[in-house]
């Protein structure tokens, strides 16, 4: 009788499934961590863009010697900049952000000299808390917390 030698150099089905499970767990952890970082970067980008939009609105008010208004929509998820009813700019907030219902400021109006009609804070709700954009009295200087 001839003895048959079995080759046992390969992986069993259970070993292959366990390896795939480990790879899937590690991959999902990396993706979850990356999503948080992407949202954080998107919030920073939005706050910076909002700051630039406020400065642009102020510059247009001074340059054209006309009132410029910045107002949020009723859903508090986008804002627009208008000059005498003409839309100059419209921007949406990131999907995970909105203007807080408790926000002191809901909009601004820039006078012809660049001053703001009121001062206070825009409060934006995010998944990780509230982000604040402060508009200072007088020249309409803006600062924001990251």
């Amino acid at each position: 009788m001839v003895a048959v030698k079995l080759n046992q150099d390969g992986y069993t089905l259970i070993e292959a499934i366990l390896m795939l499970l480990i790879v899937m767990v590690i991959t999902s952890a990396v993706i979850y961590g990356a999503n948080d970082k992407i949202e954080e970067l998107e919030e920073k980008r939005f706050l910076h863009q909002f700051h630039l939009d406020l400065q642009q609105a102020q510059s247009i008010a001074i340059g054209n010697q006309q009132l410029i208004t910045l107002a949020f929509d009723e859903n508090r998820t986008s804002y627009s900049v208008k000059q005498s009813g003409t839309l100059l700019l419209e921007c949406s907030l990131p999907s995970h952000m909105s203007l807080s219902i408790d926000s002191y400021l809901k909009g601004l109006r820039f006078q012809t000299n660049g001053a703001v009609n009121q001062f206070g804070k825009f409060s934006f709700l995010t998944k990780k808390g509230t982000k604040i954009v402060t508009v200072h009295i007088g020249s309409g200087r803006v600062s924001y917390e990251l």
Side-chain angles (χ1 to χ4, degrees):
M1 232 184 190
V2 178
V4 176
K5 184 176 179 182
L6 296 175
N7 184 1
Q8 297 188 10
D9 290 341
Y11 293 107
T12 65
L13 181 61
I14 293 175
E15 291 172 332
I17 290 174
L18 285 175
M19 287 300 294
L20 286 174
L21 181 66
I22 291 170
V23 169
M24 286 174 35
V25 168
I26 292 172
T27 304
S28 64
V30 169
I31 290 172
Y32 179 75
N35 281 342
D36 287 346
K37 188 65 176 171
I38 288 170
E39 286 179 357
E40 180 183 329
L41 291 173
E42 193 174 14
E43 289 170 10
K44 285 182 181 181
R45 183 211 51 83
F46 167 75
L47 292 173
H48 183 70
Q49 185 62 49
F50 184 66
H51 184 199
L52 292 175
D53 291 344
L54 289 174
Q55 287 179 335
Q56 182 181 12
Q58 186 179 38
S59 296
I60 293 170
I62 294 169
N64 294 350
Q65 290 294 296
Q66 290 191 342
L67 293 175
I68 301 293
T69 58
L70 179 139
F72 280 83
D73 68 350
E74 61 275 355
N75 297 328
R76 300 178 319 275
T77 57
S78 68
Y79 63 89
S80 60
V81 176
K82 295 181 180 178
Q83 174 183 352
S84 302
T86 304
L87 182 65
L88 300 176
L89 172 74
E90 192 169 36
C91 186
S92 295
L93 278 67
S95 60
H96 60 279
M97 287 182 74
S98 67
L99 184 69
S100 171
I101 197 161
D102 299 328
S103 179
Y104 178 73
L105 291 176
K106 306 284 192 259
L108 280 178
R109 185 172 53 228
F110 289 96
Q111 308 296 332
T112 57
N113 63 356
V116 292
N117 66 329
Q118 58 183 337
F119 60 94
K121 296 180 179 183
F122 288 102
S123 300
F124 295 98
L125 298 176
T126 67
K127 288 183 178 178
K128 292 187 176 183
T130 303
K131 303 290 183 183
I132 304 292
V133 175
T134 305
V135 179
H136 300 281
I137 193 167
S139 63
R141 289 187 331 259
V142 175
S143 63
Y144 53 96
E145 300 174 8
L146 295 177

